[in-house]
Amino acid sequence: MKFEIVGGSFPAVELELYKGESVYTQTCGMCWMENGITMDTNLKGGLLKTLGRLFTQESVFMTTYTCQVQSARIGFAMQSFGSIEGFQISPGHSLICQKTALLVAESSVTSSVTFTKKISAGLFGGEGFILQRLSGNGKVFIETVGAIVEKSLGYGEELLVDTGHIVAFEETCKYEVKMVKGLRNILYSGEGLTLIKVTGPGKVYLQTMTLEDVANSILPYIPKPQNNNNTQQ
């Protein structure tokens, strides 16, 4: 499989599949494909993995695209404003990502539900108690809001991150919630009650924006409905 990220500031990933190769995505992920690719939408992974996707608020159905000719191209576009990043998954090198990050993956990659090790991370962390674990052997592409930033942590090194800005991290990292200290910091900093603490070793992938940031920036410009109190004469 070959790939190219196209589209500049509004990216999509175009994959060149060879005969017999297949990839899967959530429904509505594909935006174009050439002749020779078939699609099959089903409850990928069986009942347990389907129930897991219900917990993550993802689509229950997944669509698999398989190349039936010598080669054909297919494109997948992200659903928000940001960037697309590719990762190679291999045995012993799994990736933990937020529940909406996965854009498309080779069929040899397994997407499953995983839980943060501390319940407090789910109660206060913003990204939820449930995350996605990408394992197996193959290529995956995840989408971020804004640009993606990579941080490499050594053993025992810690990184504090504002809630919502973590996209993914290697499975060797630990992830937990740290309460913000000081009443004034909580009330006036705009950071809320908690930050996410990630402890190495491993790589952490951050996004420079969140969907909440995008929504809040647009909200003041959305026209508000006006009540029409005029009565007909």
Side-chain angles (χ1 to χ4, degrees):
M1 182 184 75
K2 294 181 179 179
F3 73 92
E4 181 182 7
I5 296 176
V6 298
S9 299
F10 302 95
V13 58
E14 186 176 65
L15 310 177
E16 183 177 1
L17 302 180
Y18 298 101
K19 189 171 184 177
E21 290 185 327
S22 60
V23 295
Y24 68 91
T25 184
Q26 298 182 61
T27 53
C28 302
M30 188 274 294
C31 52
W32 67 79
M33 65 180 179
E34 296 177 346
N35 289 332
I37 296 177
T38 59
M39 57 187 296
D40 178 31
T41 301
N42 53 46
L43 302 175
K44 184 176 176 64
L47 179 60
L48 291 179
K49 290 184 179 179
T50 299
L51 291 175
R53 290 197 292 274
L54 282 174
F55 281 117
T56 62
Q57 298 179 342
E58 293 182 75
S59 172
V60 171
F61 292 94
M62 305 291 280
T63 303
T64 298
Y65 299 88
T66 303
C67 182
Q68 305 291 347
V69 295
Q70 184 174 355
S71 68
R73 292 179 176 271
I74 182 169
F76 298 87
M78 59 186 304
Q79 303 300 308
S80 60
F81 304 98
S83 59
I84 297 173
E85 190 76 13
F87 294 87
Q88 180 65 41
I89 303 297
S90 60
H93 293 85
S94 299
L95 191 69
I96 308 298
C97 62
Q98 62 173 246
K99 56 193 177 184
T100 58
L102 178 62
L103 177 60
V104 60
E106 287 190 82
S107 292
S108 53
V109 173
T110 299
S111 172
S112 58
V113 172
T114 188
F115 296 86
T116 55
K117 294 183 179 180
K118 293 191 175 182
I119 294 178
S120 60
L123 296 178
F124 302 107
E127 288 310 307
F129 183 56
I130 302 170
L131 300 169
Q132 280 184 316
R133 180 175 182 265
L134 304 176
S135 59
N137 190 9
K139 199 77 174 179
V140 302
F141 297 88
I142 66 173
E143 57 179 293
T144 71
V145 185
I148 190 168
V149 178
E150 178 184 314
K151 296 288 185 180
S152 184
L153 302 180
Y155 185 83
E157 287 188 313
E158 297 178 354
L159 183 69
L160 295 177
V161 186
D162 184 26
T163 301
H165 284 273
I166 291 181
V167 178
F169 52 89
E170 293 181 330
E171 199 170 25
T172 51
C173 294
K174 295 180 181 179
Y175 169 96
E176 59 184 291
V177 168
K178 185 177 179 66
M179 302 296 293
V180 173
K181 295 181 180 180
L183 182 60
R184 283 181 297 179
N185 291 332
I186 294 173
L187 293 177
Y188 304 117
S189 70
E191 302 298 337
L193 291 172
T194 62
L195 296 173
I196 305 301
K197 183 175 77 171
V198 185
T199 305
K203 292 182 179 179
V204 184
Y205 302 93
L206 312 174
Q207 59 187 12
T208 57
M209 299 181 68
T210 69
L211 283 176
E212 184 179 5
D213 294 334
V214 176
N216 288 337
S217 66
I218 296 174
L219 189 60
Y221 303 99
I222 298 177
K224 297 180 179 179
Q226 297 180 352
N227 294 326
N228 188 358
N229 295 322
N230 295 330
T231 58
Q232 294 182 351
Q233 299 296 328

Coordinates of all heavy atoms in Angstrom, one line a residue, residues 110-198:
T110 N -6.0 -4.0 14.5 CA -7.2 -4.2 15.4 C -7.5 -3.0 16.2 O -6.6 -2.4 16.9 CB -7.1 -5.4 16.3 OG1 -6.9 -6.6 15.5 CG2 -8.3 -5.6 17.2
S111 N -8.8 -2.5 16.2 CA -9.2 -1.4 17.0 C -10.1 -2.0 18.1 O -11.1 -2.6 17.9 CB -10.0 -0.4 16.2 OG -10.6 0.6 17.0
S112 N -9.7 -1.7 19.4 CA -10.4 -2.3 20.5 C -10.5 -1.2 21.6 O -9.8 -0.2 21.6 CB -9.7 -3.5 21.0 OG -8.4 -3.3 21.4
V113 N -11.4 -1.5 22.5 CA -11.7 -0.5 23.6 C -10.6 -0.8 24.7 O -10.3 -1.9 25.0 CB -13.1 -0.7 24.2 CG1 -13.3 0.1 25.5 CG2 -14.1 -0.3 23.2
T114 N -10.1 0.3 25.3 CA -9.2 0.1 26.4 C -9.6 1.1 27.5 O -10.3 2.1 27.2 CB -7.7 0.3 26.0 OG1 -6.9 0.0 27.2 CG2 -7.4 1.7 25.6
F115 N -9.2 0.9 28.7 CA -9.6 1.8 29.8 C -8.4 2.4 30.5 O -7.3 1.8 30.6 CB -10.4 0.9 30.9 CG -11.7 0.4 30.4 CD1 -11.7 -0.9 29.8 CD2 -12.8 1.0 30.6 CE1 -12.9 -1.4 29.3 CE2 -14.0 0.5 30.1 CZ -14.1 -0.7 29.5
T116 N -8.6 3.6 30.9 CA -7.5 4.3 31.6 C -7.3 3.5 33.0 O -8.3 3.0 33.5 CB -7.8 5.8 31.9 OG1 -9.1 5.8 32.6 CG2 -7.9 6.6 30.7
K117 N -6.1 3.5 33.5 CA -5.8 2.7 34.7 C -6.4 3.3 35.9 O -6.5 2.6 36.9 CB -4.3 2.6 34.8 CG -3.7 1.8 33.7 CD -2.2 1.6 33.9 CE -1.6 0.7 32.7 NZ -0.2 0.5 32.9
K118 N -6.8 4.6 35.9 CA -7.4 5.2 37.1 C -8.8 5.7 36.7 O -8.9 6.4 35.7 CB -6.5 6.3 37.6 CG -5.2 5.8 38.2 CD -4.5 6.9 39.0 CE -3.2 6.4 39.7 NZ -2.5 7.5 40.4
I119 N -9.8 5.4 37.5 CA -11.1 5.8 37.2 C -11.3 7.3 37.2 O -12.0 7.9 36.5 CB -12.1 5.2 38.3 CG1 -12.1 3.6 38.1 CG2 -13.5 5.7 38.1 CD1 -13.0 2.9 39.1
S120 N -10.4 8.0 38.0 CA -10.5 9.4 38.1 C -10.2 10.1 36.7 O -10.7 11.1 36.4 CB -9.5 10.0 39.1 OG -8.2 9.6 38.8
A121 N -9.4 9.4 35.9 CA -9.1 9.9 34.6 C -10.4 10.0 33.7 O -10.6 10.9 32.9 CB -8.1 9.1 33.9
G122 N -11.2 9.0 33.9 CA -12.5 8.9 33.2 C -13.5 9.9 33.7 O -14.3 10.5 33.0
L123 N -13.5 10.1 35.1 CA -14.5 11.0 35.7 C -14.2 12.5 35.4 O -15.1 13.3 35.3 CB -14.5 10.7 37.2 CG -15.0 9.3 37.6 CD1 -14.9 9.2 39.1 CD2 -16.4 9.1 37.1
F124 N -12.9 12.8 35.4 CA -12.5 14.2 35.3 C -11.7 14.6 34.1 O -11.4 15.8 33.8 CB -11.8 14.7 36.5 CG -12.6 14.4 37.8 CD1 -12.2 13.4 38.7 CD2 -13.7 15.2 38.1 CE1 -13.0 13.2 39.8 CE2 -14.4 15.0 39.3 CZ -14.0 14.0 40.1
G125 N -11.2 13.6 33.3 CA -10.2 13.9 32.3 C -10.6 14.5 31.0 O -9.8 14.9 30.3
G126 N -11.9 14.5 30.8 CA -12.4 15.1 29.6 C -12.4 14.2 28.3 O -13.3 14.3 27.5
E127 N -11.4 13.4 28.2 CA -11.3 12.4 27.1 C -12.1 11.2 27.4 O -12.2 10.3 26.5 CB -9.9 12.1 26.7 CG -9.1 13.3 26.1 CD -9.9 13.9 24.9 OE1 -10.3 13.1 24.0 OE2 -10.1 15.1 25.0
G128 N -12.6 11.1 28.6 CA -13.5 9.9 28.9 C -12.7 8.7 29.4 O -11.5 8.6 29.3
F129 N -13.4 7.9 30.1 CA -12.8 6.7 30.7 C -12.4 5.7 29.7 O -11.5 4.9 29.9 CB -13.8 6.1 31.7 CG -13.4 4.9 32.4 CD1 -12.2 5.0 33.2 CD2 -14.0 3.7 32.3 CE1 -11.8 3.9 33.9 CE2 -13.6 2.6 33.1 CZ -12.5 2.7 33.9
I130 N -13.0 5.7 28.5 CA -12.8 4.8 27.4 C -11.9 5.4 26.3 O -12.2 6.5 25.8 CB -14.1 4.2 26.9 CG1 -14.9 3.6 28.0 CG2 -13.9 3.2 25.8 CD1 -16.3 3.3 27.6
L131 N -10.9 4.7 25.9 CA -10.0 5.1 24.8 C -10.0 3.9 23.8 O -10.5 2.9 24.0 CB -8.6 5.4 25.4 CG -8.5 6.5 26.4 CD1 -7.1 6.5 27.0 CD2 -8.8 7.8 25.8
Q132 N -9.3 4.2 22.7 CA -9.1 3.2 21.6 C -7.7 2.6 21.7 O -6.7 3.4 21.9 CB -9.3 3.7 20.3 CG -10.8 3.9 19.8 CD -10.9 4.4 18.4 OE1 -10.2 5.3 18.0 NE2 -11.7 3.8 17.6
R133 N -7.5 1.3 21.5 CA -6.2 0.7 21.4 C -6.1 0.1 20.0 O -6.9 -0.7 19.6 CB -6.1 -0.4 22.5 CG -4.7 -1.1 22.4 CD -4.6 -2.1 23.5 NE -3.3 -2.8 23.6 CZ -3.0 -3.9 23.0 NH1 -4.0 -4.6 22.4 NH2 -1.8 -4.5 23.1
L134 N -5.0 0.6 19.3 CA -4.7 0.2 18.0 C -3.6 -0.8 18.0 O -2.5 -0.4 18.4 CB -4.4 1.3 17.0 CG -5.6 2.4 17.0 CD1 -5.1 3.6 16.1 CD2 -6.8 1.8 16.4
S135 N -3.8 -2.0 17.7 CA -2.7 -3.1 17.8 C -2.7 -3.9 16.5 O -3.6 -3.8 15.6 CB -3.0 -3.9 19.0 OG -4.2 -4.6 18.9
G136 N -1.7 -4.8 16.4 CA -1.6 -5.7 15.3 C -0.4 -5.3 14.5 O 0.7 -5.0 15.0
N137 N -0.5 -5.3 13.1 CA 0.6 -5.0 12.3 C 0.1 -4.3 11.0 O -0.5 -5.0 10.1 CB 1.4 -6.3 11.9 CG 2.7 -6.0 11.3 OD1 3.2 -4.9 11.2 ND2 3.3 -7.1 10.8
G138 N 0.3 -3.0 10.9 CA -0.1 -2.3 9.7 C -0.1 -0.8 9.9 O 0.3 -0.3 10.9
K139 N -0.6 -0.2 8.8 CA -0.6 1.3 8.8 C -2.0 1.8 9.3 O -3.0 1.3 9.0 CB -0.4 1.8 7.4 CG 0.1 3.3 7.3 CD 1.5 3.4 7.7 CE 2.0 4.9 7.5 NZ 3.4 5.0 7.8
V140 N -1.9 2.9 10.1 CA -3.2 3.6 10.5 C -3.0 5.1 10.3 O -1.9 5.6 10.3 CB -3.5 3.3 12.0 CG1 -3.7 1.8 12.3 CG2 -2.5 3.9 12.9
F141 N -4.1 5.7 10.1 CA -4.1 7.2 10.0 C -5.1 7.8 11.0 O -6.2 7.3 11.1 CB -4.5 7.6 8.6 CG -3.5 7.1 7.5 CD1 -3.6 5.9 7.0 CD2 -2.4 7.9 7.2 CE1 -2.7 5.4 6.0 CE2 -1.5 7.5 6.2 CZ -1.7 6.2 5.7
I142 N -4.6 8.7 11.8 CA -5.5 9.4 12.7 C -5.6 10.9 12.4 O -4.8 11.4 11.7 CB -5.0 9.3 14.2 CG1 -3.7 10.0 14.4 CG2 -4.9 7.8 14.6 CD1 -3.2 10.0 15.8
E143 N -6.8 11.5 12.8 CA -7.0 12.9 12.5 C -6.9 13.7 13.8 O -7.3 13.2 14.9 CB -8.3 13.1 11.8 CG -9.5 12.5 12.6 CD -10.8 12.8 11.8 OE1 -11.2 14.0 11.7 OE2 -11.5 11.8 11.4
T144 N -6.4 14.9 13.6 CA -6.3 15.8 14.8 C -7.0 17.1 14.5 O -7.3 17.4 13.3 CB -4.8 16.1 15.1 OG1 -4.3 17.0 14.1 CG2 -4.0 14.8 15.2
V145 N -7.3 17.8 15.5 CA -7.9 19.2 15.4 C -6.7 20.2 15.5 O -6.0 20.1 16.5 CB -9.0 19.5 16.4 CG1 -9.6 20.9 16.2 CG2 -10.0 18.4 16.5
G146 N -6.5 21.0 14.5 CA -5.3 21.8 14.5 C -4.1 20.9 14.0 O -4.2 19.9 13.4
A147 N -2.9 21.4 14.4 CA -1.7 20.7 14.0 C -1.3 19.6 15.1 O -1.8 19.7 16.2 CB -0.5 21.7 13.9
I148 N -0.5 18.6 14.7 CA -0.1 17.6 15.6 C 1.3 17.9 16.1 O 2.2 18.4 15.3 CB -0.2 16.2 15.0 CG1 0.0 15.1 16.0 CG2 0.8 16.1 13.8 CD1 -0.3 13.7 15.6
V149 N 1.6 17.7 17.4 CA 2.9 17.9 18.0 C 3.3 16.7 18.7 O 2.6 16.1 19.4 CB 2.8 19.1 19.0 CG1 4.2 19.3 19.6 CG2 2.4 20.4 18.3
E150 N 4.5 16.2 18.4 CA 5.1 15.0 19.0 C 6.0 15.4 20.1 O 6.9 16.2 20.0 CB 5.8 14.2 17.9 CG 6.5 12.9 18.5 CD 7.3 12.2 17.5 OE1 6.8 12.0 16.3 OE2 8.5 11.8 17.8
K151 N 5.8 14.7 21.3 CA 6.7 14.8 22.4 C 7.3 13.5 22.8 O 6.5 12.5 22.9 CB 5.9 15.4 23.6 CG 5.4 16.8 23.4 CD 6.5 17.9 23.4 CE 6.0 19.3 23.4 NZ 7.1 20.3 23.4
S152 N 8.6 13.4 23.0 CA 9.2 12.1 23.4 C 9.6 12.2 24.8 O 10.4 13.1 25.2 CB 10.4 11.8 22.5 OG 11.0 10.6 22.8
L153 N 9.1 11.3 25.7 CA 9.4 11.3 27.1 C 10.3 10.2 27.5 O 10.1 9.0 27.0 CB 8.1 11.2 27.9 CG 7.0 12.2 27.7 CD1 5.8 11.9 28.6 CD2 7.5 13.6 27.9
G154 N 11.3 10.5 28.3 CA 12.2 9.4 28.8 C 11.5 8.8 30.0 O 10.4 9.2 30.5
Y155 N 12.2 7.8 30.5 CA 11.6 7.0 31.7 C 11.4 8.0 32.8 O 12.4 8.6 33.3 CB 12.6 5.9 32.0 CG 12.0 5.0 33.1 CD1 11.1 4.0 32.8 CD2 12.3 5.2 34.5 CE1 10.6 3.2 33.8 CE2 11.8 4.4 35.5 CZ 10.9 3.4 35.1 OH 10.4 2.6 36.1
G156 N 10.2 8.0 33.3 CA 9.9 8.8 34.5 C 9.6 10.3 34.2 O 9.2 11.0 35.1
E157 N 9.9 10.7 33.0 CA 9.6 12.1 32.6 C 8.1 12.4 32.5 O 7.3 11.5 32.0 CB 10.2 12.5 31.3 CG 11.7 12.7 31.3 CD 12.3 13.2 30.0 OE1 11.9 12.7 29.0 OE2 13.1 14.1 30.1
E158 N 7.6 13.5 32.9 CA 6.2 13.8 33.0 C 5.9 15.0 32.1 O 6.7 15.9 31.9 CB 5.8 14.1 34.4 CG 6.0 13.0 35.4 CD 5.6 13.3 36.8 OE1 5.3 14.5 37.1 OE2 5.6 12.4 37.7
L159 N 4.7 15.0 31.6 CA 4.2 16.1 30.8 C 2.7 16.4 31.2 O 1.9 15.5 31.3 CB 4.2 15.7 29.3 CG 3.7 16.8 28.3 CD1 4.8 17.9 28.3 CD2 3.6 16.2 26.9
L160 N 2.4 17.6 31.5 CA 1.1 18.1 31.9 C 0.4 18.7 30.7 O 1.0 19.6 30.1 CB 1.1 19.0 33.1 CG 1.6 18.5 34.4 CD1 1.7 19.6 35.4 CD2 0.8 17.4 34.9
V161 N -0.8 18.2 30.4 CA -1.4 18.7 29.1 C -2.9 19.1 29.5 O -3.6 18.5 30.3 CB -1.5 17.5 28.1 CG1 -2.1 18.0 26.8 CG2 -0.1 16.9 27.9
D162 N -3.3 20.2 28.9 CA -4.6 20.7 29.0 C -5.6 19.6 28.5 O -5.4 19.0 27.4 CB -4.8 22.0 28.3 CG -6.2 22.6 28.5 OD1 -6.8 22.3 29.5 OD2 -6.6 23.4 27.6
T163 N -6.7 19.4 29.2 CA -7.7 18.4 28.8 C -8.1 18.6 27.3 O -8.4 19.7 26.9 CB -8.9 18.5 29.7 OG1 -8.5 18.3 31.0 CG2 -10.0 17.5 29.4
G164 N -8.1 17.5 26.6 CA -8.6 17.6 25.2 C -7.5 17.7 24.2 O -7.8 17.5 23.0
H165 N -6.3 18.0 24.6 CA -5.2 18.2 23.6 C -4.4 17.0 23.4 O -3.5 17.0 22.5 CB -4.3 19.4 24.1 CG -4.9 20.7 23.8 ND1 -4.8 21.4 22.7 CD2 -5.7 21.5 24.6 CE1 -5.5 22.5 22.7 NE2 -6.0 22.6 23.9
I166 N -4.7 15.9 24.1 CA -4.0 14.6 23.8 C -4.7 13.9 22.7 O -5.9 13.6 22.8 CB -3.9 13.7 25.1 CG1 -2.9 14.4 26.1 CG2 -3.4 12.3 24.7 CD1 -2.7 13.6 27.3
V167 N -4.0 13.5 21.7 CA -4.6 12.7 20.6 C -4.3 11.3 20.8 O -5.1 10.4 20.7 CB -4.1 13.2 19.2 CG1 -4.6 12.3 18.1 CG2 -4.4 14.6 19.0
A168 N -3.0 11.0 21.1 CA -2.6 9.6 21.2 C -1.3 9.5 22.0 O -0.6 10.5 22.1 CB -2.4 8.9 19.8
F169 N -1.0 8.3 22.5 CA 0.3 8.1 23.1 C 0.7 6.6 23.0 O -0.2 5.7 22.8 CB 0.3 8.5 24.6 CG -0.9 8.0 25.4 CD1 -0.8 6.8 26.1 CD2 -2.0 8.7 25.5 CE1 -1.8 6.3 26.8 CE2 -3.1 8.2 26.2 CZ -3.0 7.0 26.9
E170 N 1.9 6.3 23.1 CA 2.4 4.9 23.0 C 1.9 4.2 24.3 O 1.8 4.8 25.4 CB 3.9 4.8 22.8 CG 4.3 5.4 21.5 CD 5.8 5.3 21.3 OE1 6.6 5.4 22.2 OE2 6.2 5.1 20.1
E171 N 1.7 2.9 24.2 CA 1.2 2.1 25.3 C 2.1 2.1 26.5 O 1.7 1.7 27.6 CB 0.8 0.7 24.8 CG -0.2 0.0 25.7 CD -0.7 -1.3 25.1 OE1 0.0 -1.8 24.2 OE2 -1.8 -1.7 25.5
T172 N 3.4 2.4 26.3 CA 4.4 2.4 27.4 C 4.2 3.6 28.3 O 4.7 3.6 29.4 CB 5.8 2.4 26.8 OG1 5.9 3.5 25.9 CG2 6.1 1.1 26.1
C173 N 3.4 4.5 27.9 CA 3.2 5.7 28.7 C 2.0 5.5 29.8 O 1.1 4.7 29.5 CB 2.8 6.9 27.9 SG 4.1 7.5 26.8
K174 N 2.1 6.1 30.9 CA 1.1 6.1 31.9 C 0.3 7.4 31.7 O 0.8 8.5 31.4 CB 1.6 6.0 33.3 CG 2.4 4.7 33.6 CD 2.9 4.7 35.0 CE 3.6 3.4 35.2 NZ 4.2 3.3 36.6
Y175 N -1.0 7.3 32.0 CA -2.0 8.5 31.8 C -2.9 8.6 33.0 O -3.5 7.6 33.4 CB -2.8 8.1 30.5 CG -4.0 9.0 30.2 CD1 -3.9 10.0 29.3 CD2 -5.2 8.7 30.8 CE1 -5.0 10.8 29.0 CE2 -6.3 9.4 30.4 CZ -6.2 10.5 29.5 OH -7.3 11.2 29.2
E176 N -2.9 9.8 33.6 CA -3.7 10.0 34.8 C -4.1 11.5 34.9 O -3.5 12.3 34.2 CB -3.0 9.5 36.1 CG -1.7 10.2 36.3 CD -1.0 9.6 37.6 OE1 -1.5 9.8 38.7 OE2 0.0 8.9 37.4
V177 N -5.0 11.8 35.8 CA -5.4 13.1 36.0 C -4.7 13.8 37.2 O -4.5 13.1 38.2 CB -6.9 13.1 36.3 CG1 -7.4 14.5 36.8 CG2 -7.7 12.8 35.0
K178 N -4.4 15.0 37.1 CA -3.7 15.8 38.1 C -4.6 17.0 38.4 O -4.9 17.8 37.5 CB -2.3 16.2 37.8 CG -1.6 17.0 38.9 CD -0.2 17.3 38.4 CE 0.6 18.0 39.5 NZ 0.9 17.2 40.7
M179 N -5.1 17.2 39.6 CA -5.9 18.4 40.0 C -5.1 19.6 39.9 O -3.9 19.7 40.4 CB -6.5 18.2 41.4 CG -7.3 16.9 41.5 SD -8.8 16.9 40.5 CE -9.8 18.2 41.2
V180 N -5.7 20.7 39.4 CA -5.1 22.0 39.4 C -5.0 22.6 40.8 O -6.0 22.5 41.5 CB -5.8 23.0 38.5 CG1 -5.3 24.4 38.6 CG2 -5.8 22.5 37.0
K181 N -3.9 23.1 41.2 CA -3.7 23.6 42.6 C -4.0 25.1 42.6 O -3.7 25.8 41.7 CB -2.3 23.4 43.0 CG -1.9 21.9 43.2 CD -0.5 21.8 43.7 CE -0.1 20.3 43.9 NZ 1.3 20.1 44.4
G182 N -4.7 25.5 43.6 CA -4.9 27.0 43.8 C -6.3 27.4 43.3 O -6.6 27.1 42.2
L183 N -7.1 28.0 44.2 CA -8.4 28.4 43.8 C -8.5 29.4 42.7 O -9.3 29.3 41.8 CB -9.1 29.0 45.1 CG -10.6 29.4 44.9 CD1 -11.4 28.2 44.5 CD2 -11.1 30.0 46.1
R184 N -7.5 30.4 42.7 CA -7.5 31.4 41.6 C -7.2 30.7 40.3 O -7.7 31.1 39.3 CB -6.5 32.5 42.0 CG -7.0 33.5 43.0 CD -6.0 34.6 43.3 NE -4.8 34.0 43.9 CZ -3.7 34.8 44.2 NH1 -3.8 36.1 44.0 NH2 -2.7 34.2 44.7
N185 N -6.3 29.7 40.3 CA -5.9 29.0 39.1 C -7.2 28.3 38.5 O -7.4 28.3 37.3 CB -4.8 28.0 39.3 CG -3.5 28.6 39.6 OD1 -3.2 29.8 39.2 ND2 -2.7 28.0 40.3
I186 N -8.0 27.7 39.4 CA -9.2 27.0 39.0 C -10.2 28.0 38.4 O -10.8 27.7 37.4 CB -9.7 26.2 40.2 CG1 -8.8 25.0 40.6 CG2 -11.1 25.6 39.8 CD1 -9.2 24.3 41.8
L187 N -10.4 29.1 39.1 CA -11.5 30.0 38.8 C -11.1 30.9 37.6 O -12.0 31.2 36.8 CB -11.8 30.9 40.0 CG -12.4 30.2 41.2 CD1 -12.6 31.2 42.3 CD2 -13.7 29.5 40.8
Y188 N -9.9 31.3 37.4 CA -9.5 32.3 36.4 C -8.6 31.9 35.3 O -8.4 32.7 34.4 CB -8.9 33.6 37.2 CG -9.8 34.1 38.2 CD1 -9.5 34.1 39.6 CD2 -11.1 34.6 37.9 CE1 -10.3 34.6 40.6 CE2 -12.0 35.1 38.9 CZ -11.5 35.1 40.2 OH -12.4 35.5 41.2
S189 N -8.0 30.8 35.4 CA -7.0 30.4 34.4 C -7.6 29.9 33.1 O -7.0 29.9 32.0 CB -6.1 29.3 34.9 OG -6.8 28.0 35.0
G190 N -8.9 29.5 33.2 CA -9.6 28.9 32.0 C -9.2 27.5 31.7 O -9.7 26.9 30.8
E191 N -8.4 26.8 32.6 CA -8.0 25.5 32.4 C -8.9 24.4 33.0 O -8.7 23.2 32.9 CB -6.5 25.3 32.9 CG -5.5 26.2 32.2 CD -5.4 26.0 30.7 OE1 -5.7 24.9 30.3 OE2 -5.0 26.9 30.0
G192 N -9.8 24.9 33.9 CA -10.7 23.9 34.5 C -10.1 23.3 35.8 O -9.1 23.8 36.3
L193 N -10.7 22.2 36.2 CA -10.2 21.6 37.5 C -9.0 20.7 37.3 O -8.3 20.5 38.3 CB -11.4 20.8 38.1 CG -12.6 21.5 38.6 CD1 -13.7 20.5 38.9 CD2 -12.3 22.3 39.8
T194 N -8.8 20.2 36.2 CA -7.8 19.2 36.0 C -6.9 19.4 34.8 O -7.2 20.1 33.8 CB -8.4 17.8 35.9 OG1 -9.2 17.8 34.7 CG2 -9.3 17.4 37.1
L195 N -5.7 18.8 34.9 CA -4.8 18.6 33.7 C -4.5 17.1 33.6 O -4.7 16.3 34.5 CB -3.5 19.4 33.9 CG -3.6 20.9 34.0 CD1 -2.2 21.5 34.4 CD2 -4.1 21.5 32.7
I196 N -4.1 16.7 32.4 CA -3.7 15.3 32.2 C -2.2 15.2 32.4 O -1.4 15.9 31.8 CB -4.1 14.9 30.8 CG1 -5.6 15.1 30.5 CG2 -3.7 13.4 30.6 CD1 -6.5 14.4 31.5
K197 N -1.8 14.2 33.2 CA -0.4 13.9 33.4 C 0.0 12.6 32.7 O -0.6 11.6 32.9 CB 0.0 13.8 34.9 CG 1.5 13.6 35.1 CD 1.8 13.5 36.6 CE 1.4 12.2 37.3 NZ 2.0 12.1 38.7
V198 N 1.0 12.8 31.8 CA 1.5 11.6 31.0 C 2.9 11.4 31.5 O 3.7 12.3 31.5 CB 1.4 11.8 29.5 CG1 1.8 10.6 28.8 CG2 0.0 12.2 29.1

